[in-house]
Amino acid sequence: MKHIYLNLKRFDVPTEFGGVNRIAPVAEWAEFIVKNTQEELKKYDSSKVEFGMYFPEAHLLNAVKAKTEGSPIKVGCQSVYRADTAVGGNFGAFTTNRPASSMVAAGCETTIIGHCEERNDKAGILAEAGVTDTDAINRLLNQEIKCAIDGGMTVLYCIGEKSEEQEQWQEVLGKQLEIGLKDVDTSKVVIAYEPIWSIGPGKTPAGKEYITKIARFVKEKTGGMDIVYGGGLKQDNAAMLASIDEIDGGLIALTRFQGEIGYYPEEYLEIIRLYIEG
């Protein structure tokens, strides 16, 4: 099974506010994305490839509403809270947070948890409290994963090492897997590997040999769980990633990195074509 995921981050913000959204007004943004991709995605065999799209929370209802019968798109949210509502329990006292139950009620089928940006946010909050133990972050993410699965969603769980952690990559990634997936139904989880040290302007992208090494490590550590490349599936690396047997797909974010940078549906479809069809 191949998995192609799309993390739309905050690509809804218009350029006049410092964002990269040039494709549609904010109120129509999610609908535009779904309507301009789902028909083309229907040509792929849904038993062999799945398509998940992770929207900012404000756009979930419009994204779900825009889906047509037989749409292959699985609408997802960007993480969930580490606690949830329950009959006879907490009825929804979670101001500012996203309980899994609310996301499922909104139509979400999947969620992305542990993305490096989420990990950095949690690390910053913990640092303000004087906590520098990265295992604490993995424990929090483990709670989120369990809530998502208990709510009925599948999970894309992101792992990755920073530049200062590269020499200890086996220990870092090993703990992220061991603690993050503790007592989790891993049949509901796909791993995304983010080489954080190689992501960003001026940095050297991770090469095929390195990605293959990590993918083999993850599969050995997890008993063969599916793993996708989370460092950015793009037009210029699609063929290389498709040639790695141990990689089961990728995570797309920006589709254009020069000029009017941003996410564009037609470029997203071209990346998928290059990865799947060659």
Side-chain angles (χ1 to χ4, degrees):
M1 184 75 167
K2 293 292 184 182
H3 315 268
I4 307 294
Y5 299 105
L6 173 64
N7 182 15
L8 287 156
K9 301 194 178 186
R10 291 281 12 165
F11 297 162
D12 59 331
V13 180
T15 55
E16 58 265 35
F17 292 100
V20 297
N21 177 17
R22 298 177 178 86
I23 62 176
V26 171
E28 302 165 15
W29 182 74
E31 180 181 2
F32 182 90
I33 290 170
V34 173
K35 286 186 174 181
N36 282 275
T37 55
Q38 64 184 344
E39 294 305 317
E40 184 69 16
L41 294 177
K42 286 180 181 178
K43 74 179 186 181
Y44 298 107
D45 186 345
S46 61
S47 68
K48 296 181 179 178
V49 58
E50 70 163 353
F51 302 99
M53 293 186 177
Y54 300 110
F55 288 88
E57 186 174 343
H59 302 284
L60 293 173
L61 295 178
N62 280 352
V64 171
K65 186 178 179 180
K67 290 177 63 175
T68 57
E69 184 177 354
S71 174
I73 293 173
K74 293 185 177 180
V75 173
C77 57
Q78 297 175 350
S79 198
V80 296
Y81 190 51
R82 63 183 181 275
D84 206 350
T85 59
V87 177
N90 193 315
F91 57 86
F94 298 117
T95 302
T96 80
N97 291 306
R98 292 182 302 279
S101 55
S102 69
M103 296 295 92
V104 171
C108 288
E109 298 179 72
T110 181
T111 186
I112 181 171
I113 291 176
H115 188 278
C116 64
E117 291 160 14
E118 181 186 7
R119 288 181 181 272
N120 285 341
D121 177 56
K122 284 179 166 53
I125 293 170
L126 290 170
E128 287 294 321
V131 179
T132 58
D133 178 14
T134 55
D135 287 352
I137 297 171
N138 294 321
R139 289 193 294 270
L140 292 172
L141 296 174
N142 175 256
Q143 294 172 45
E144 293 177 2
I145 293 171
K146 289 176 180 176
C147 281
I149 292 174
D150 288 345
M153 286 187 280
T154 59
V155 174
L156 180 63
Y157 177 50
C158 301
I159 65 170
E161 78 280 27
K162 299 178 180 179
S163 56
E164 64 269 25
E165 298 172 325
Q166 263 197 285
E167 290 187 4
Q168 295 82 35
W169 68 269
Q170 287 179 299
E171 179 183 356
V172 171
L173 299 183
K175 283 190 173 182
Q176 290 175 357
L177 291 167
E178 181 181 348
I179 299 172
L181 296 177
K182 184 179 180 182
D183 300 325
V184 165
D185 178 0
T186 55
S187 70
K188 305 295 185 182
V189 181
V190 171
I191 303 298
Y193 169 62
E194 296 181 279
I196 303 169
W197 54 269
S198 75
I199 300 173
K203 295 184 179 180
T204 302
K208 179 177 179 178
E209 184 177 345
Y210 194 92
I211 295 169
T212 302
K213 175 182 72 172
I214 299 297
R216 286 175 178 168
F217 171 80
V218 170
K219 285 190 177 291
E220 290 170 3
K221 191 79 174 177
T222 63
M225 287 179 65
D226 283 357
I227 175 173
V228 304
Y229 182 65
L233 173 57
K234 315 166 191 177
Q235 291 191 33
D236 62 4
N237 69 6
M240 179 271 285
L241 292 171
S243 71
I244 302 176
D245 292 337
E246 293 84 357
I247 289 292
D248 304 297
L251 177 61
I252 298 169
L254 290 175
T255 62
R256 188 180 304 176
F257 298 85
Q258 295 180 336
E260 294 185 337
I261 68 167
Y263 165 82
Y264 297 89
E266 67 276 12
E267 295 172 354
Y268 160 79
L269 292 171
E270 176 62 9
I271 293 169
I272 291 172
R273 187 193 68 78
L274 289 170
Y275 180 79
I276 296 178
E277 300 176 25

